[in-house]
Amino acid sequence: MAIPGKGVVPADTPVLTADDLGVLRGDGVFETMHVRRGRPWLLDEHLARMARSAARMDLPLPPAAELADLAGQACAEWPAEVEGALRLVCTRGPESGGPVTVFATLAPVSPVAIQARRAGIAVVTATLGFAADARTPAPWLLGGVKSLSYAVNMASQRWATGRGADDVLWVSADGYALEAPTASLVWLSGDTLCTVPAEPTGILPGTTVRWLLDHADRLGWTPAERMVTPAELRGVRGAWLVSSVRGPAAIRALDGAELPTDPELTARINDLLGYP
């Protein structure tokens, strides 16, 4: 763990007060990024998204340079050969008043995440209960914001685990696949690599997915943003849930039905993104 002004401290160092609004209300923002060769990947892109989230929540985030320095301190002695998950957190601070609370944590990527990247995942769909375009005109729903309020996300994943699946694909009330609780949806239709458009749907714009689509031409594919239904995913060449730490996890089953999977396609995506 690293704290501004103190640098790296023991992981059990107290950071939050009992009335911190990040704990009491989930009032704060965070970013998690993949650490490879001892450095956080796509740091600038993650910091830019964190700044957008903070602005949407009227949260006084420290300058990007200070957060980048904090990330560098956390990673300074991290073993180059170990995959890491770096999390930057900023809460609104104590309910009694005071500055925001900022800290960074760094831990090894879990074996479960690495296994999902290598072997694929079984996914079930779950409704969000509102239409795909409901969040855009309702800014209080915080569509596209990576806030600390992840109780629904975690409850969704526990629900999936209880049904023998590995993850969830959220679906709108009007039937469109949107995103997963901690990942973005990507699929290959012909030679077109697609993801769900973030602006009209209010999903979280994925930093890793954005980089992947911006460099899809290296794989001979054309990038696109499209709406898709779960049923339509059964006819594509491949579909993945992509997150910064886990990387691309091929969806091998959706609601109990097998999906087309090609290990070579997954390997090409992993190689392009730099995941081992």
Side-chain angles (χ1 to χ4, degrees):
M1 184 165 61
I3 302 173
K6 295 183 179 180
V8 176
V9 298
D12 59 356
T13 300
V15 176
L16 301 172
T17 61
D19 69 339
D20 192 289
L21 290 168
V23 175
L24 296 181
R25 300 185 183 277
D27 195 355
V29 297
F30 77 104
E31 285 288 328
T32 308
M33 58 205 81
H34 189 255
V35 174
R36 53 185 67 173
R37 295 178 293 279
R39 299 178 61 86
W41 191 51
L42 300 180
L43 175 61
D44 290 342
E45 290 83 349
H46 279 281
L47 292 179
R49 187 173 67 177
M50 192 174 189
R52 292 193 297 270
S53 294
R56 288 277 306 280
M57 295 179 64
D58 295 322
L59 183 70
L61 190 71
E66 293 183 14
L67 294 173
D69 182 63
L70 186 65
Q73 293 176 47
C75 295
E77 297 184 13
W78 190 255
E81 70 278 7
V82 178
E83 289 187 61
L86 173 68
R87 182 179 287 113
L88 293 177
V89 179
C90 179
T91 82
R92 200 171 296 277
E95 187 175 36
S96 55
V100 295
T101 302
V102 180
F103 60 94
T105 63
L106 179 56
V109 175
S110 74
V112 173
I114 294 175
Q115 176 65 14
R117 186 194 307 159
R118 295 173 178 171
I121 52 177
V123 176
V124 290
T125 57
T127 182
L128 280 180
F130 48 75
D133 60 356
R135 286 182 286 192
T136 300
W140 52 88
L141 294 179
L142 297 181
V145 171
K146 196 172 179 67
S147 77
L148 292 174
S149 303
Y150 256 49
V152 170
N153 306 56
M154 299 300 97
S156 297
Q157 290 190 329
R158 287 192 299 272
W159 176 82
T161 300
R163 281 151 184 78
D166 303 300
D167 211 335
V168 169
L169 177 60
W170 279 335
V171 178
S172 66
D174 45 348
Y176 291 104
L178 297 175
E179 60 182 337
T182 61
S184 303
L185 174 65
V186 174
W187 68 97
L188 185 63
S189 178
D191 288 327
T192 302
L193 189 65
C194 309
T195 193
V196 179
E199 187 66 28
T201 60
I203 65 171
L204 184 72
T207 54
T208 305
V209 164
R210 183 71 269 156
W211 194 95
L212 174 60
L213 264 67
D214 287 346
H215 297 83
D217 60 323
R218 298 186 188 180
L219 299 176
W221 300 334
T222 301
E225 294 186 357
R226 298 176 178 173
M227 303 299 290
V228 69
T229 66
E232 290 170 334
L233 291 175
R234 298 191 178 99
V236 303
R237 293 176 62 188
W240 298 265
L241 292 184
V242 181
S243 63
S244 297
V245 171
R246 187 171 64 184
I251 303 176
R252 50 181 170 78
L254 183 62
D255 287 335
E258 292 187 5
L259 256 60
T261 56
D262 185 338
E264 182 181 351
L265 293 177
T266 300
R268 292 176 67 192
I269 294 174
N270 267 309
D271 184 63
L272 176 62
L273 292 174
Y275 290 95

